[in-house]
Amino acid sequence: MRTYRSTLGPRPHAVAQVEPDPKRAARLDKLIQRFVHRPTALHGRAPGAVDLMGLLGAVHDMYGCLTRPMVEHLAHVCELYTGQVYATASFYPDIYLDPKGRHLVKVCTGTACHVKGADRLARRCARALGVEPGGTDADGEFTFLTTACVGACSLAPVLMVGTDIHGNPDPATLPDLFARHRESDATAAG
Ligand code: FES
């Protein structure tokens, strides 16, 4: 993993610029400090070094995406160029630069899945969700994407909902499957 070196150490910053909720702002602030202040003795890194990939991954996990204001904020805090942070974030297809729905629905379009009918599965999913690939439904519940091979070729064609993998799902069960995920969200919130 590449480590970038900031020249002057972390700068004072206003985390509230990107996170108005004080509790979440404190969490974000703490998270950032974890990746900017690496003790030299423990990690063999100079003070002020930034584990940029670690930081981007952790912030992405927290928010589900890295918006432009967040990229600018992280660049500011780490004393890196915004373009440097953006280039790193945008290199990885699993780092999203715009907000997504609460559940990610992905149809694999790798070779094995393509041969086994990924296109047909994608059309059925689009119909069940009411969303075309790349889109998010109106209530922000589901984002529907296609993806490269997810490493479960023997189950082709593969559908992922969040981290769950469904091999060759029966198209008739898709509406129920998505409804269950929607309900699990509601249960967690309630
Ligand atoms: S091609 Fe779809 S899981 Fe490998």
Side-chain angles (χ1 to χ4, degrees), residues 18 28 31-32 52-75 82 84-100:
V18 288
L28 175 62
L31 190 66
I32 291 170
L52 186 56
M53 270 314 298
L55 174 60
L56 295 182
V59 176
H60 188 271
D61 281 352
M62 184 171 164
Y63 287 96
C65 70
L66 291 173
T67 58
R68 187 187 171 107
M70 185 61 81
V71 167
E72 287 170 352
H73 178 68
L74 296 178
T82 301
Q84 220 174 342
V85 178
Y86 178 78
T88 306
S90 61
F91 179 78
Y92 297 93
D94 285 338
I95 291 186
Y96 304 120
L97 300 173
D98 52 355
K100 301 290 182 212

Side-chain angles (χ1 to χ4, degrees), residues 108-114 148-154 156-158:
C108 175
T109 54
T111 306
C113 291
H114 175 72
C149 178
V150 296
C153 309
S154 61
V158 167

Side-chain angles (χ1 to χ4, degrees), residues 34 96 134 174:
R34 247 179 65 202
Y96 304 120
L174 292 175

Side-chain angles (χ1 to χ4, degrees), residues 60-175:
H60 188 271
D61 281 352
M62 184 171 164
Y63 287 96
C65 70
L66 291 173
T67 58
R68 187 187 171 107
M70 185 61 81
V71 167
E72 287 170 352
H73 178 68
L74 296 178
H76 175 81
V77 173
C78 300
E79 298 212 340
L80 298 170
Y81 291 112
T82 301
Q84 220 174 342
V85 178
Y86 178 78
T88 306
S90 61
F91 179 78
Y92 297 93
D94 285 338
I95 291 186
Y96 304 120
L97 300 173
D98 52 355
K100 301 290 182 212
R102 280 180 287 279
H103 303 281
L104 293 182
V105 176
K106 299 180 187 176
V107 169
C108 175
T109 54
T111 306
C113 291
H114 175 72
V115 169
K116 293 279 196 162
D119 285 355
R120 202 167 46 247
L121 177 59
R123 281 198 300 277
R124 297 290 195 123
C125 288
R127 203 175 310 153
L129 293 167
V131 179
E132 291 302 312
T136 300
D137 62 1
D139 52 5
E141 197 70 34
F142 295 101
T143 293
F144 179 33
L145 303 168
T146 55
T147 179
C149 178
V150 296
C153 309
S154 61
L155 303 176
V158 167
L159 167 69
M160 284 187 75
V161 185
T163 53
D164 296 348
I165 289 187
H166 303 274
N168 192 19
D170 178 351
T173 65
L174 292 175

